[in-house]
Amino acid sequence: MSVAASHVVVSLVEKYPNYLIINLDKLDYCASLKNLEAISQKHNYKFIQGDICEPHFIKQLFETEKIDIVLHFAAQTHVDLSFWHALEFKYVNVYGTHVLVTAAYEASVEKFVYVSTDEVYGGSSDEEFDESSPKRPTNPYASSKAAAECFVQSYWERYQFPVVITRSSNVYGPHQYPEKVIPKFISLLQQNRKCCIHGSGLQKRNFLYATDVVEAFLTVLKEGKPGEIYNIGTNFEMSITQLAKELIQLIKKTNSESEVEHWVDYVKDRPTNDIRYPMKSEKMHSLGWRPKVPWKEGIKKTIEWYRENFHNWKNVEKALEPFPVTQPFMHIDIS
């Protein structure tokens, strides 16, 4: 389960006690039910372990549970891993989405929210992307998300099935599996290990704190119009090198540039590494949403959380390697 998904589930359970919130999760390598312990015993929360790529299971789920709204977060999301396991990413992210949106349509769901990514736009050094910008994905992960968007959008075009698509900047905060850059750097430094930076480290990313993203999804659930796409972005942008330096200063209390450099290790870059993903989010602003949590506040809370909760996942040390060490996570018979 993604960092955004876990925080959204917790928020929905706590804010809407009269609604049953069903959490469907395969419990893949990056999932941890410990992140949901605060709500696990709530009367309006139900956890179901299952795979969106199993059509019969998903069809039965919609037949047995009265599901009004679907928030579709389920995906393989680790960009580095997608270069080695592109077929699996396509299977989970595209086929799994096809299975889920088909079942939701057949069950006459009231709203289907597909959670996509800013990476479908591809990189840009100057152009700011709005929702009408063309999709130019540059890695297998982003390509699979862009293809899944097309499946979802087709149900609106053909059947007027009420789908909404969101494209978010990078989310950070508690609950995030440490393969992603912020929790990876934090965890490495807390274990007295160096930050591993791919390539030059000049690539910039926009970072949104988890609770801001929760508010964005609650806004989309209430105000999002069927058939529309919404960018969930922020103007806060930071290079990977600057990110590493800030975290080193916060965690290691360094005073000089040479002390900072001691905690940095530059490694070979990934096959493609987009320079930045600048987005316009005026459509979300028009619905009443804007990010509120300042970087200094969000990153402080995140650092404190990982100090106590790094071992919420099994075999989590693997996530701290410079490049993926995960074995193929599924077998696909294409004969």
Side-chain angles (χ1 to χ4, degrees):
M1 173 175 283
S2 71
V3 57
S6 66
H7 285 274
V8 168
V9 167
V10 170
S11 181
L12 288 171
V13 170
E14 292 179 342
K15 289 189 175 186
Y16 298 98
N18 296 325
Y19 288 82
L20 175 63
I21 310 302
I22 298 173
N23 172 19
L24 171 67
D25 196 336
K26 182 183 177 181
L27 294 184
D28 212 338
Y29 72 96
C30 54
S32 172
L33 290 177
K34 287 186 178 181
N35 294 331
L36 297 169
E37 283 182 346
I39 58 166
S40 62
Q41 301 303 316
K42 298 278 189 179
H43 74 278
N44 64 325
Y45 172 72
K46 183 176 184 177
F47 171 73
I48 298 174
Q49 185 172 356
D51 189 344
I52 61 169
C53 294
E54 296 179 4
H56 299 297
F57 165 76
I58 294 296
K59 182 177 175 62
Q60 185 179 32
L61 176 66
F62 278 92
E63 289 173 349
T64 55
E65 304 285 350
K66 182 174 174 10
I67 297 172
D68 301 304
I69 296 173
V70 173
L71 273 162
H72 175 21
F73 289 94
Q76 291 292 337
T77 65
H78 189 22
V79 174
D80 293 350
L81 198 61
S82 76
F83 288 106
W84 282 268
H85 302 305
L87 183 59
E88 291 98 325
F89 270 64
K90 182 169 70 173
Y91 181 74
V92 173
N93 295 352
V94 182
Y95 176 68
T97 297
H98 172 66
V99 169
L100 195 61
V101 73
T102 300
Y105 165 70
E106 291 175 349
S108 301
V109 164
E110 295 174 13
K111 181 176 277 189
F112 184 99
V113 180
Y114 177 64
V115 181
S116 191
T117 169
D118 56 1
E119 294 200 32
V120 299
Y121 294 120
S124 171
S125 58
D126 50 7
E127 177 192 1
E128 277 192 308
F129 302 117
D130 63 25
E131 291 83 353
S132 64
S133 298
K135 296 193 284 279
R136 298 191 182 100
T138 61
N139 61 66
Y141 159 64
S143 298
S144 69
K145 295 294 283 185
E149 280 192 19
C150 293
F151 270 106
V152 172
Q153 196 71 19
S154 72
Y155 273 76
W156 167 252
E157 299 295 342
R158 184 176 180 184
Y159 305 114
Q160 296 293 287
F161 180 55
V163 304
V164 178
I165 294 171
T166 65
R167 296 170 181 159
S168 172
S169 297
N170 286 42
V171 182
Y172 77 98
H175 304 178
Q176 189 168 41
Y177 186 67
E179 67 186 1
K180 301 299 175 73
V181 64
I182 288 179
K184 175 178 276 193
F185 283 2
I186 290 172
S187 301
L188 284 167
L189 292 167
Q190 288 176 341
Q191 296 182 27
N192 292 317
R193 296 166 65 182
K194 295 183 179 183
C195 297
C196 48
I197 296 178
H198 291 172
S200 66
L202 299 178
Q203 305 86 357
K204 294 183 177 181
R205 296 293 181 263
N206 300 76
F207 294 109
L208 269 173
Y209 189 63
T211 56
D212 279 332
V213 176
V214 168
E215 291 304 315
F217 281 111
L218 294 180
T219 301
V220 167
L221 287 176
K222 291 179 182 178
E223 308 292 344
K225 296 179 181 178
E228 292 294 328
I229 300 170
Y230 294 95
N231 287 344
I232 301 174
T234 172
N235 292 328
F236 178 77
E237 185 181 57
M238 181 179 288
S239 74
I240 302 304
T241 295
Q242 183 60 32
L243 169 66
K245 289 181 177 180
E246 285 211 16
L247 291 174
I248 290 165
Q249 289 167 349
L250 286 168
I251 296 171
K252 292 301 177 184
K253 312 298 182 185
T254 53
N255 296 313
S256 67
E257 189 68 22
S258 61
E259 285 182 291
V260 169
E261 288 298 325
H262 171 75
W263 293 101
V264 175
D265 187 17
Y266 291 91
V267 299
K268 182 181 176 181
D269 207 350
R270 62 170 64 146
T272 59
N273 202 342
D274 295 327
I275 192 66
R276 41 195 304 263
Y277 302 109
M279 289 196 304
K280 297 178 181 178
S281 300
E282 278 78 4
K283 279 179 72 173
M284 280 299 297
H285 298 169
S286 72
L287 299 183
W289 174 86
R290 289 178 184 272
K292 296 176 182 176
V293 180
W295 167 253
K296 289 187 182 299
E297 178 185 332
I299 200 63
K300 181 182 177 182
K301 290 179 179 178
T302 306
I303 290 170
E304 290 172 354
W305 190 87
Y306 281 92
R307 190 171 285 120
E308 302 297 328
N309 297 280
F310 174 72
H311 288 287
N312 277 12
W313 300 267
K314 295 178 181 178
N315 302 316
V316 67
E317 285 79 8
K318 290 182 179 180
L320 302 185
E321 296 299 321
F323 294 98
V325 293
T326 308
Q327 296 298 314
F329 42 80
M330 62 183 298
H331 171 71
I332 302 174
D333 186 356
I334 57 174
S335 59

